[in-house]
Amino acid sequence: MEIILVFIIGLIFGSFLNVVIYRLKSGKPIGFGRSFCPQCRTILKWHDLVPVLSFLWLKRKCRHCGKKISWQYPAVELLSGLIWVGVFYKVFELNFQFSVFNFQLLSIFYQIIILSVLLVIAVYDARHFIIPDKIIYPAIGLALAYNALAVWRSGNFSEHFWMPLGAAAAVFLFLFSFFYFSKGRAMGFGDAKLGFLIGLFLGPFGALLAVFLAFVAGAAYGIIMIIIGRKSLKSRVAFGPFLAAGAAISFFFADYILKISNFLSW
């Protein structure tokens, strides 16, 4: 029952993330104003905004103008729901004890926020080929603040600050080298900034795994698109979605991957 409730909250939060994605492009304030159809600009009623269900009930069409509703909206809502469930499951698996001032509770919301930022970046970069500074810089600031708080709580400066910072710097420099030597053709500067955030969030092993998965998935996607004729060697491909997906997979499954690799090496 708790998981269902968490999933529903995640769906609702995903609806907010769709607003963030749209308003980042339009330049409108994120937290103000009612939702409206981007085609006919009609203000939407509450029953048009029920996550996923309204999309299905309206048969992917605006009630007022009949224009198609993008699949982005239910996809982001569902992925947000899965993020919430995944984070809560991962934390409760560690025998979480609820308390208003419990550091684990803070960790839950921190992880949800960073993973939600990665989701927003993935969708926005896929659509517009840019990673907006308006969201990446606050996320980096939040990660630095959280790591500093973790140091204050544990006293372990190396594990909670220097190691994530070192990982962030290493990933940033690695991705920045692609941007610099290709003069922005192989990779954007935003990807390097995203790599810095991933390093702060995941630490050395997690960040390394995330980048590895991103390059493998990106290469596989590029090859498949070329084979079926959808892309050419000169086509632009947003790398942010692959970095974000690699980071999410690393966050949820790095421990299992490490155990499997240790077992195979043994």
Side-chain angles (χ1 to χ4, degrees), residues 4-190:
I4 295 175
L5 179 60
V6 168
F7 183 67
I8 291 173
I9 295 173
L11 290 178
I12 296 170
F13 191 72
S15 183
F16 168 73
L17 295 182
N18 276 316
V19 174
V20 173
I21 293 167
Y22 177 79
R23 296 189 179 182
L24 278 172
K25 179 62 176 178
S26 66
K28 294 181 180 295
I30 292 173
F32 301 94
R34 297 180 60 185
S35 298
F36 54 85
C37 171
Q39 304 294 332
C40 65
R41 319 295 288 187
T42 302
I43 299 296
L44 300 177
K45 302 289 181 60
W46 70 267
H47 46 77
D48 295 323
L49 298 171
V50 180
V52 181
L53 295 180
S54 290
F55 180 85
L56 298 175
W57 177 257
L58 295 172
K59 298 179 180 178
R60 203 195 160 194
K61 293 181 181 179
C62 172
R63 184 191 304 275
H64 306 281
C65 66
K67 295 292 180 62
K68 291 285 188 180
I69 301 172
S70 172
W71 283 97
Q72 169 197 313
Y73 294 95
V76 169
E77 290 163 355
L78 288 169
L79 288 171
S80 176
L82 292 175
I83 285 172
W84 278 68
V85 169
V87 169
F88 269 82
Y89 178 81
K90 183 174 182 178
V91 173
F92 275 87
E93 195 178 30
L94 300 174
N95 297 319
F96 171 77
Q97 298 294 323
F98 178 79
S99 170
V100 174
F101 301 104
N102 194 308
F103 187 77
Q104 280 187 304
L105 185 62
L106 177 65
S107 298
I108 287 174
F109 291 112
Y110 164 71
Q111 292 163 3
I112 287 173
I113 289 172
I114 296 298
L115 289 167
S116 298
V117 165
L118 294 176
L119 176 56
V120 168
I121 287 173
V123 175
Y124 195 90
D125 193 29
R127 293 178 66 93
H128 306 295
F129 294 97
I130 190 170
I131 296 174
D133 290 342
K134 287 182 179 179
I135 192 167
I136 190 70
Y137 285 138
I140 288 173
L142 175 62
L144 286 169
Y146 175 83
N147 289 347
L149 186 60
V151 170
W152 173 79
R153 177 178 177 269
S154 67
N156 193 330
F157 205 87
S158 176
E159 180 181 351
H160 294 294
F161 196 83
W162 284 123
M163 289 178 68
L165 188 60
V171 175
F172 173 83
L173 291 174
F174 176 69
L175 297 178
F176 180 78
S177 67
F178 285 89
F179 163 75
Y180 181 79
F181 290 110
S182 70
K183 297 181 179 179
R185 291 189 295 270
M187 192 168 294
F189 185 49

